[in-house]
Amino acid sequence: MKIYDRPGFPNPARIRIVLAQKGLDAKVTFESVDLIGAQHKEDAFLAKNPSGVLPLLELDDGTLIAESTAITEYLDNLDGNPVLTGSTPREKGLIHMMQRRAESELLDAVGIYFHHATPGLGPALQKHKSPQWEHRKQWGERERDRAIRGMCYFDQVLREHPFVAGDNFSMADITVFAGLAFADAAGIQIADELAQLKAWRARVAELPAVKNRSGQDFEAEDLRRMGF
Ligand SMILES: N[C@@H](CCC(=O)N[C@@H](CS)C(=O)NCC(=O)O)C(=O)O
């Protein structure tokens, strides 16, 4: 199997956590795609994933699976023990619901803010965004506010159970975790009073599959280009 991704970026980080959790690290090779240089918007990549985003999984028979949730479903089910996406109908339903909320209310909202209301990853990628700066800035700022409300929502959820979709670590936790890493990078603060969310984050960061896969382990070249 091959994964097209880029170290340090939040959606690729989701899949790296899944691979570690499932003990699949040795079964994949990685191909690094230059997000800052907009290599994912070139024809060669778009032919593989018309959405023009990372990560992307390519199976040995050439099958292409895009979308982090779909890749996670595939990887989680390979061994017949889907611990991250649920094994009973109830678990599957709850995990899917919370995972979708984690995307729409946090991770994707942060992404829209970062890519549309800030210079994002720089000029090569901005060329591929709408030229209507004022409109997209307003849209991005509304999404930033949605992400801030999303953090409050997940703080409440985590008062009721130890993980985002219940008693066990799941795909939904991975998405919230990546969303918070992206929020850090985009300069969106977690409010001080969100103690449950912060405690959960510290706990999840120490899980073996998550440790050192924080979503901020960028390549040196990317750190330099982003001005760090
Ligand atoms: N819904 C997609 C989102 C993927 C995504 O947005 N990936 C980011 C990297 S973290 C990307 O490729 N962004 C490039 C862009 O917006 O041009 C998924 O779940 O995989």
Side-chain angles (χ1 to χ4, degrees):
M1 292 186 281
K2 188 197 274 189
I3 306 267
Y4 297 83
D5 81 351
R6 189 77 168 181
F9 290 94
N11 287 289
R14 293 164 74 182
I15 299 308
R16 290 190 179 230
I17 292 170
V18 172
L19 290 167
Q21 180 75 27
K22 298 297 294 186
L24 289 169
D25 282 329
K27 298 251 166 69
V28 292
T29 57
F30 290 97
E31 184 157 327
S32 197
V33 178
D34 180 10
L35 275 175
I36 297 176
Q39 192 187 352
H40 58 301
K41 303 298 186 199
E42 291 173 8
D43 290 347
F45 187 80
L46 292 175
K48 290 183 182 289
N49 181 9
S51 303
V53 290
L54 301 175
L56 173 69
L57 169 65
E58 186 167 29
L59 305 183
D60 294 344
D61 69 0
T63 303
L64 292 159
I65 303 179
E67 294 300 324
S68 300
T69 46
I71 298 170
T72 301
E73 289 276 0
Y74 176 83
L75 297 172
D76 195 28
N77 281 282
L78 278 179
D79 62 1
N81 181 28
V83 287
L84 292 173
T85 54
S87 48
T88 65
R90 182 179 180 278
E91 271 176 19
K92 281 178 188 293
L94 287 173
I95 290 170
H96 246 101
M97 174 179 75
M98 295 310 290
Q99 131 65 37
R100 182 66 197 123
R101 287 182 187 163
E103 281 186 347
S104 66
E105 308 306 317
L106 183 60
L107 176 60
D108 290 353
V110 173
I112 291 168
Y113 168 69
F114 178 71
H115 287 294
H116 297 276
T118 81
L121 291 176
L125 201 49
Q126 287 295 321
K127 274 203 307 240
H128 296 271
K129 311 292 178 198
S130 158
Q132 292 180 311
W133 167 245
E134 268 313 315
H135 284 150
R136 65 188 174 98
K137 185 164 180 289
Q138 281 171 18
W139 175 45
E141 288 174 351
R142 279 201 306 276
E143 290 297 309
R144 175 200 56 203
D145 296 346
R146 176 201 288 274
I148 292 168
R149 288 193 301 277
M151 289 178 189
C152 299
Y153 167 71
F154 287 110
D155 184 76
Q156 295 235 325
V157 165
L158 290 162
R159 286 181 207 174
E160 276 154 42
H161 23 75
F163 293 102
V164 171
D167 291 333
N168 300 307
F169 179 69
S170 76
M171 169 165 72
D173 293 278
I174 297 174
T175 308
V176 174
F177 191 80
L180 295 181
F182 202 177
D184 286 347
I188 305 174
Q189 313 266 322
I190 307 180
D192 284 344
E193 62 270 24
L194 302 185
Q196 282 306 124
L197 186 64
K198 288 185 172 185
W200 164 89
R201 188 187 198 187
R203 202 157 32 86
V204 167
E206 288 304 312
L207 296 176
V210 180
K211 212 172 165 111
N212 304 322
R213 293 180 186 84
S214 63
Q216 294 181 344
D217 44 346
F218 294 100
E219 289 185 1
E221 185 200 355
D222 286 350
L223 285 173
R224 186 185 52 72
R225 291 151 99 198
M226 290 188 288
F228 294 107

